[in-house]
Amino acid sequence: MADEFIKGLSALILGGFGWLVFAGWYNTPEFASGQLITPAPETLTFYDQLALVLKEGFFYFALIGAFTFWVVIPAINQLREARAGQ
């Protein structure tokens, strides 16, 4: 169970860090107000749009990765053990 915890934690940390970096670049116009939550700029190049897609991907990777390793895989293992015990 410890390896699933570490895998979920690493997915949460890496995904959260990736989201934080891209949100800091594109959603923080100034230091004093609205950090990480302001809308993205209107004029975007292809690479800016790609970075915003990556930002969303990192966010969902963090959530789904942690949920998978902390809830889904242990539940599947419990089901297998319960079925083997019958």
Side-chain angles (χ1 to χ4, degrees), residues 3-69:
D3 57 335
E4 279 92 5
F5 176 76
I6 292 299
K7 289 175 187 175
L9 184 64
S10 63
L12 185 66
I13 289 172
L14 290 175
F17 180 70
W19 178 86
L20 189 66
V21 166
F22 285 116
W25 285 343
Y26 291 101
N27 300 109
T28 304
E30 60 185 44
F31 184 72
S33 64
Q35 293 182 2
L36 306 177
I37 58 171
T38 59
E42 301 259 339
T43 56
L44 297 173
T45 65
F46 171 75
Y47 294 111
D48 294 332
Q49 292 174 1
L50 182 64
L52 291 178
V53 168
L54 281 174
K55 182 185 86 159
E56 293 297 318
F58 277 122
F59 177 75
Y60 288 112
F61 173 71
L63 294 181
I64 294 171
F67 182 76
T68 299
F69 284 109

